[in-house]
Amino acid sequence: MGILVIAEHDEGALKPSTLNAVTAAVQIGGEVTVLVASDSTAAVAAEVAKVAGVAKVLVADAPQFAKPTAENVAALVLSIAGGYTHVLAPATNFGKNFMPRVAARLDVAQISEISAVVSPDTFVRPIYAGNALATVQSKDAIKVITVRATAFDAAGTGGSAPIEPVAAVADTGQSSVTGRNLTKSARPELTAARIIVSGGRGMGNGENFKLLEALADKLGAAVGASRAAVDAGFVPNDYQVGQTGKVVAPDLYVAVGISGAIQHLAGMKDSKVIVAINKDAEAPIFQVADYGLVADLFQAVPELTGELG
């Protein structure tokens, strides 16, 4: 039984989501191979080779993978997928972009966002905005799976896998990346942050998010937001945590002025410790919070920031 994991990386650095996908692959069992596609694979391949549980690293080095498109990545995966029983990728924008195409071309059912491995053909995945868990079994010869990164620990180091080249498929020419608008921030990236401070509609306006930014700077945290805050224009869309935003599971999640709608809870309820600050004692967020403070956030947050020195 062979398992192929597609590595997610950016600018020569391996994304943490790949390490979570490797952990899921190891739990399935069998030999784990990681595919790295780029126009400069050396640094990422060397990093992947040191990941515990990885038996082999395949590298496809070609110009069309500098700015990879779903068509080109899918074509590459399809060219070697026949040698594996499982194909895995993180359930991030990266994996969601090309894995459905892989599943369709293989004529198999994709198993999306697994959160646990029961056996090599049976997996657990969240449904109904995370309010229920479905156990699904696949009888397909090749199982195409995306992995919810927050559900699996990151694989450690200590490996020494061999690195082998694989033939890069020709550029399909069906689409191309013409540009990227990247948000630059001195704070941690939201999905990789150990601590997140999020604000909701209760913040009142975007200017008040400066209160959360001051708290986040003291904690070394990322800043997030509920969909209500994003829809109201308080903060950009890339701040959004929730079912239609980013799914996070930090060590500490501080929810400020967030009522706790199901859509938001689906994106953060796996956080190890949840702290909620809200003036409404009946807010649903308190049902999942480990610590709750019923208070006016405009008084409580500055006091908390001050206490942190």
Side-chain angles (χ1 to χ4, degrees):
M1 184 165 61
I3 304 170
L4 180 66
V5 177
I6 317 305
E8 180 178 9
H9 58 89
D10 185 38
E11 297 180 355
L14 188 67
K15 289 280 191 176
S17 57
T18 303
L19 302 179
N20 305 110
V22 168
T23 296
V26 170
Q27 291 181 13
I28 293 171
E31 184 174 278
V32 177
T33 299
V34 178
L35 173 64
V36 178
S38 176
D39 66 332
S40 180
T41 58
V44 175
E47 191 174 355
V48 173
K50 297 176 183 177
V51 175
V54 175
K56 184 190 299 182
V57 181
L58 297 179
V59 295
D61 204 317
Q64 63 266 30
F65 299 125
K67 295 179 179 179
T69 62
E71 293 85 354
N72 284 337
V73 175
L76 175 62
V77 173
L78 288 165
S79 71
I80 60 175
Y84 300 92
T85 56
H86 299 72
V87 178
L88 275 63
T92 57
N93 289 339
F94 169 76
K96 292 175 182 178
N97 194 31
F98 71 89
M99 287 292 271
R101 179 179 290 268
V102 171
R105 293 287 299 275
L106 291 173
D107 195 23
V108 301
Q110 177 174 305
I111 307 172
S112 302
E113 299 210 26
I114 67 166
S115 58
V117 175
V118 178
S119 70
D121 66 354
T122 306
F123 310 90
V124 176
R125 61 180 301 268
I127 58 175
Y128 302 131
N131 287 298
L133 296 174
T135 300
V136 296
Q137 184 178 37
S138 171
K139 295 184 178 180
D140 291 324
I142 301 177
K143 294 160 184 61
V144 176
I145 300 167
T146 59
V147 178
R148 176 167 284 198
T150 57
F152 295 88
D153 293 333
T157 57
S160 57
I163 300 173
E164 301 178 6
V166 64
V169 294
D171 188 347
T172 63
Q174 292 177 283
S175 66
S176 62
V177 178
T178 59
R180 292 176 178 171
N181 293 320
L182 301 178
T183 302
K184 299 294 184 181
S185 174
R187 298 188 182 92
E189 200 277 323
L190 198 57
T191 56
R194 291 180 56 253
I195 303 173
I196 296 174
V197 178
S198 278
R201 193 194 304 274
M203 296 304 299
N205 57 56
E207 186 69 18
N208 289 332
F209 262 78
K210 290 182 179 179
L211 295 175
L212 301 190
E213 292 171 356
L215 176 58
D217 289 342
K218 289 289 183 71
L219 294 171
V223 176
S226 68
R227 178 173 179 173
V230 171
D231 286 349
F234 297 170
V235 291
N237 180 264
D238 57 312
Y239 279 48
Q240 185 176 325
V241 173
Q243 184 185 10
T244 55
K246 296 177 180 177
V247 177
V248 299
D251 293 338
L252 173 63
Y253 189 89
V254 183
V256 182
I258 294 176
S259 63
I262 289 175
Q263 189 274 345
H264 186 75
L265 298 183
M268 48 65 71
K269 65 182 180 181
D270 289 332
S271 304
K272 293 181 174 61
V273 177
I274 300 172
V275 175
I277 302 174
N278 199 298
K279 66 181 180 181
D280 180 7
E282 302 301 319
I285 190 70
F286 289 121
Q287 296 177 16
V288 299
D290 298 285
Y291 301 94
L293 175 61
V294 180
D296 182 345
L297 70 88
F298 296 105
Q299 179 180 350
V301 172
E303 288 182 359
L304 176 57
T305 304
E307 289 294 327
L308 292 171

